[in-house]
Amino acid sequence: MSLDLVLSRDLECFASMDWGRLRPGLIAWWMVLPAEPETRYHVVAEWKFQGLDDEDIADGYHEHCRFFKLKPHYVAGDPSMWIADGRNRARGQSRGETLTRSRMPMRKALNDRVSGWSRLARLLRVPVDRAGASTGEPPILTIDEACPYLVRAIPALRSSATNAVDVDTTGDDHGGDSLRYGAASRPMPAGWGRRAVPPTQGSAGALLEEMRGHLGRAAVLGAENVMGAR
């Protein structure tokens, strides 16, 4: 597991979350990589869960943050978590409120599926030249090999048979939904636009600096892997 990449305190971080109980949910941790002309993002960690109460999800989130030494500025969460459906009559609060009270920095994500998938497809698109050939540059959004579920699930997404600009929800779309919420959050962490102090040679920050310009192909997922995303 390439944990060296997530130990840097030089870079900003946020998270995205698709909630699930009977079906799986997923939290993804994103690092913001300052670059020109456009800031890039690298998903460095994931946590897939199922069958957990909200308080258990919050505990697991904090445990993973401590393990990866990450402190997200916010978690772009599944909007359905803010529906007050009467599930908890003792407290009368939504899942989003429960997680917020459990010290998760929740932010209600936008749920415009068409624009969300469009935004995610753009972030995943492999740059090409005018002739349509790959330039060799990584996409704006890349996913680390340490995220095996996302590495497998994102290329497996398929377009809906009834709406080509949406994703087939009968398949495994939990990873896609989590990344869609993150992509649609228009991440603007506190240090946006601020170059970090140059990291010490040999440190995790130096590794991230090197990765920014020389990211291995094994860690890159392009939108050409998602049917209908071109």
Short mmCIF file of all heavy atoms in Angstrom, two decimals, residues 39-65:
data_model
loop_
_atom_site.label_atom_id
_atom_site.label_comp_id
_atom_site.label_asym_id
_atom_site.label_seq_id
_atom_site.Cartn_x
_atom_site.Cartn_y
_atom_site.Cartn_z
N THR A 39 -5.36 23.14 -11.34
CA THR A 39 -5.10 22.30 -10.17
C THR A 39 -5.54 20.86 -10.44
O THR A 39 -6.57 20.62 -11.06
CB THR A 39 -5.84 22.86 -8.95
OG1 THR A 39 -5.33 24.15 -8.65
CG2 THR A 39 -5.67 21.95 -7.74
N ARG A 40 -4.76 19.89 -9.96
CA ARG A 40 -5.07 18.48 -10.14
C ARG A 40 -5.46 17.86 -8.80
O ARG A 40 -5.20 18.44 -7.74
CB ARG A 40 -3.86 17.74 -10.74
CG ARG A 40 -3.48 18.23 -12.12
CD ARG A 40 -2.29 17.46 -12.68
NE ARG A 40 -1.91 17.94 -13.97
CZ ARG A 40 -2.47 17.57 -15.12
NH1 ARG A 40 -3.43 16.66 -15.10
NH2 ARG A 40 -2.08 18.07 -16.27
N TYR A 41 -6.05 16.68 -8.88
CA TYR A 41 -6.51 15.97 -7.68
C TYR A 41 -6.06 14.52 -7.75
O TYR A 41 -6.03 13.91 -8.83
CB TYR A 41 -8.04 16.03 -7.56
CG TYR A 41 -8.59 17.42 -7.71
CD1 TYR A 41 -9.08 17.85 -8.93
CD2 TYR A 41 -8.58 18.31 -6.64
CE1 TYR A 41 -9.57 19.14 -9.08
CE2 TYR A 41 -9.07 19.60 -6.77
CZ TYR A 41 -9.55 20.01 -8.00
OH TYR A 41 -10.03 21.28 -8.16
N HIS A 42 -5.72 13.96 -6.59
CA HIS A 42 -5.30 12.56 -6.52
C HIS A 42 -6.02 11.90 -5.36
O HIS A 42 -5.90 12.35 -4.20
CB HIS A 42 -3.79 12.47 -6.33
CG HIS A 42 -3.24 11.08 -6.46
ND1 HIS A 42 -3.38 10.32 -7.61
CD2 HIS A 42 -2.57 10.29 -5.58
CE1 HIS A 42 -2.80 9.14 -7.44
NE2 HIS A 42 -2.30 9.09 -6.22
N VAL A 43 -6.82 10.88 -5.63
CA VAL A 43 -7.51 10.14 -4.58
C VAL A 43 -6.51 9.17 -3.97
O VAL A 43 -6.00 8.28 -4.65
CB VAL A 43 -8.73 9.38 -5.13
CG1 VAL A 43 -9.39 8.54 -4.03
CG2 VAL A 43 -9.74 10.37 -5.71
N VAL A 44 -6.21 9.36 -2.70
CA VAL A 44 -5.13 8.60 -2.06
C VAL A 44 -5.62 7.48 -1.15
O VAL A 44 -4.83 6.60 -0.78
CB VAL A 44 -4.20 9.53 -1.25
CG1 VAL A 44 -3.47 10.49 -2.15
CG2 VAL A 44 -5.00 10.30 -0.19
N ALA A 45 -6.89 7.50 -0.77
CA ALA A 45 -7.38 6.47 0.15
C ALA A 45 -8.87 6.29 -0.04
O ALA A 45 -9.58 7.20 -0.47
CB ALA A 45 -7.06 6.85 1.60
N GLU A 46 -9.36 5.10 0.30
CA GLU A 46 -10.79 4.79 0.21
C GLU A 46 -11.18 3.93 1.40
O GLU A 46 -10.35 3.25 2.00
CB GLU A 46 -11.08 4.03 -1.09
CG GLU A 46 -10.42 2.66 -1.13
CD GLU A 46 -10.74 1.84 -2.38
OE1 GLU A 46 -11.20 2.42 -3.38
OE2 GLU A 46 -10.52 0.60 -2.35
N TRP A 47 -12.47 4.00 1.73
CA TRP A 47 -13.02 3.09 2.74
C TRP A 47 -14.42 2.69 2.30
O TRP A 47 -15.32 3.52 2.25
CB TRP A 47 -13.07 3.75 4.12
CG TRP A 47 -13.71 2.88 5.17
CD1 TRP A 47 -13.55 1.53 5.33
CD2 TRP A 47 -14.62 3.28 6.21
NE1 TRP A 47 -14.28 1.07 6.39
CE2 TRP A 47 -14.95 2.12 6.95
CE3 TRP A 47 -15.16 4.51 6.58
CZ2 TRP A 47 -15.81 2.17 8.03
CZ3 TRP A 47 -16.02 4.55 7.66
CH2 TRP A 47 -16.34 3.39 8.39
N LYS A 48 -14.60 1.42 1.98
CA LYS A 48 -15.90 0.88 1.60
C LYS A 48 -16.50 0.21 2.83
O LYS A 48 -15.83 -0.57 3.51
CB LYS A 48 -15.74 -0.14 0.47
CG LYS A 48 -17.05 -0.68 -0.08
CD LYS A 48 -16.78 -1.69 -1.18
CE LYS A 48 -18.08 -2.25 -1.74
NZ LYS A 48 -17.84 -3.28 -2.79
N PHE A 49 -17.76 0.53 3.13
CA PHE A 49 -18.40 0.00 4.34
C PHE A 49 -19.83 -0.42 4.02
O PHE A 49 -20.41 -0.03 3.00
CB PHE A 49 -18.40 1.06 5.45
CG PHE A 49 -19.03 2.36 5.05
CD1 PHE A 49 -20.40 2.57 5.18
CD2 PHE A 49 -18.26 3.39 4.52
CE1 PHE A 49 -20.98 3.77 4.79
CE2 PHE A 49 -18.84 4.60 4.13
CZ PHE A 49 -20.20 4.77 4.27
N GLN A 50 -20.42 -1.20 4.91
CA GLN A 50 -21.79 -1.66 4.73
C GLN A 50 -22.34 -2.13 6.07
O GLN A 50 -21.61 -2.70 6.90
CB GLN A 50 -21.85 -2.80 3.70
CG GLN A 50 -23.27 -3.23 3.32
CD GLN A 50 -23.27 -4.21 2.16
OE1 GLN A 50 -22.22 -4.57 1.62
NE2 GLN A 50 -24.45 -4.66 1.76
N GLY A 51 -23.63 -1.88 6.32
CA GLY A 51 -24.29 -2.39 7.51
C GLY A 51 -23.91 -1.69 8.80
O GLY A 51 -24.11 -2.25 9.88
N LEU A 52 -23.39 -0.46 8.72
CA LEU A 52 -22.95 0.26 9.91
C LEU A 52 -23.94 1.35 10.30
O LEU A 52 -24.54 2.00 9.45
CB LEU A 52 -21.58 0.90 9.68
CG LEU A 52 -20.41 -0.04 9.39
CD1 LEU A 52 -19.13 0.77 9.18
CD2 LEU A 52 -20.22 -1.05 10.52
N ASP A 53 -24.09 1.57 11.61
CA ASP A 53 -24.84 2.72 12.09
C ASP A 53 -24.04 3.99 11.83
O ASP A 53 -22.83 3.95 11.63
CB ASP A 53 -25.11 2.58 13.60
CG ASP A 53 -26.08 1.45 13.90
OD1 ASP A 53 -26.92 1.14 13.04
OD2 ASP A 53 -25.98 0.88 15.01
N ASP A 54 -24.73 5.13 11.87
CA ASP A 54 -24.08 6.39 11.55
C ASP A 54 -22.90 6.69 12.47
O ASP A 54 -21.84 7.15 12.03
CB ASP A 54 -25.09 7.54 11.62
CG ASP A 54 -26.24 7.34 10.65
OD1 ASP A 54 -26.00 6.72 9.59
OD2 ASP A 54 -27.36 7.80 10.93
N GLU A 55 -23.09 6.43 13.77
CA GLU A 55 -22.00 6.67 14.71
C GLU A 55 -20.79 5.78 14.42
O GLU A 55 -19.64 6.20 14.59
CB GLU A 55 -22.48 6.45 16.15
CG GLU A 55 -23.49 7.47 16.65
CD GLU A 55 -24.91 7.18 16.22
OE1 GLU A 55 -25.13 6.20 15.47
OE2 GLU A 55 -25.81 7.93 16.64
N ASP A 56 -21.05 4.56 13.95
CA ASP A 56 -19.95 3.66 13.59
C ASP A 56 -19.22 4.15 12.34
O ASP A 56 -18.00 4.01 12.22
CB ASP A 56 -20.47 2.24 13.35
CG ASP A 56 -21.05 1.62 14.62
OD1 ASP A 56 -20.55 1.95 15.71
OD2 ASP A 56 -22.01 0.83 14.51
N ILE A 57 -19.99 4.71 11.42
CA ILE A 57 -19.37 5.29 10.22
C ILE A 57 -18.46 6.45 10.61
O ILE A 57 -17.33 6.57 10.12
CB ILE A 57 -20.44 5.76 9.23
CG1 ILE A 57 -21.21 4.56 8.67
CG2 ILE A 57 -19.82 6.56 8.08
CD1 ILE A 57 -22.41 4.93 7.82
N ALA A 58 -18.95 7.30 11.51
CA ALA A 58 -18.13 8.42 11.97
C ALA A 58 -16.87 7.93 12.66
O ALA A 58 -15.77 8.47 12.43
CB ALA A 58 -18.95 9.32 12.91
N ASP A 59 -17.00 6.91 13.50
CA ASP A 59 -15.82 6.36 14.18
C ASP A 59 -14.82 5.81 13.16
O ASP A 59 -13.61 6.02 13.29
CB ASP A 59 -16.23 5.24 15.15
CG ASP A 59 -16.96 5.76 16.37
OD1 ASP A 59 -16.86 6.98 16.65
OD2 ASP A 59 -17.63 4.95 17.05
N GLY A 60 -15.32 5.12 12.14
CA GLY A 60 -14.44 4.57 11.11
C GLY A 60 -13.77 5.66 10.31
O GLY A 60 -12.58 5.53 9.96
N TYR A 61 -14.50 6.73 10.02
CA TYR A 61 -13.91 7.87 9.30
C TYR A 61 -12.75 8.46 10.08
O TYR A 61 -11.66 8.67 9.54
CB TYR A 61 -14.99 8.93 9.07
CG TYR A 61 -14.45 10.30 8.70
CD1 TYR A 61 -14.07 10.60 7.39
CD2 TYR A 61 -14.31 11.29 9.67
CE1 TYR A 61 -13.57 11.84 7.06
CE2 TYR A 61 -13.81 12.54 9.35
CZ TYR A 61 -13.45 12.81 8.04
OH TYR A 61 -12.95 14.06 7.72
N HIS A 62 -12.96 8.71 11.38
CA HIS A 62 -11.89 9.30 12.20
C HIS A 62 -10.70 8.34 12.33
O HIS A 62 -9.55 8.79 12.31
CB HIS A 62 -12.44 9.66 13.57
CG HIS A 62 -13.42 10.79 13.56
ND1 HIS A 62 -13.10 12.04 13.07
CD2 HIS A 62 -14.72 10.86 13.96
CE1 HIS A 62 -14.15 12.84 13.17
NE2 HIS A 62 -15.14 12.14 13.71
N GLU A 63 -10.99 7.06 12.43
CA GLU A 63 -9.91 6.08 12.54
C GLU A 63 -9.06 6.08 11.26
O GLU A 63 -7.83 6.04 11.33
CB GLU A 63 -10.49 4.68 12.77
CG GLU A 63 -9.44 3.60 12.91
CD GLU A 63 -10.05 2.24 13.18
OE1 GLU A 63 -11.26 2.17 13.49
OE2 GLU A 63 -9.32 1.24 13.06
N HIS A 64 -9.71 6.14 10.11
CA HIS A 64 -8.98 6.17 8.85
C HIS A 64 -8.18 7.48 8.71
O HIS A 64 -7.05 7.46 8.21
CB HIS A 64 -9.93 6.00 7.67
CG HIS A 64 -10.33 4.58 7.42
ND1 HIS A 64 -11.22 3.90 8.23
CD2 HIS A 64 -9.96 3.69 6.45
CE1 HIS A 64 -11.38 2.67 7.77
NE2 HIS A 64 -10.62 2.51 6.70
N CYS A 65 -8.76 8.60 9.13
CA CYS A 65 -8.04 9.88 9.06
C CYS A 65 -6.77 9.82 9.90
O CYS A 65 -5.71 10.32 9.49
CB CYS A 65 -8.94 11.02 9.51
SG CYS A 65 -10.21 11.52 8.32
#
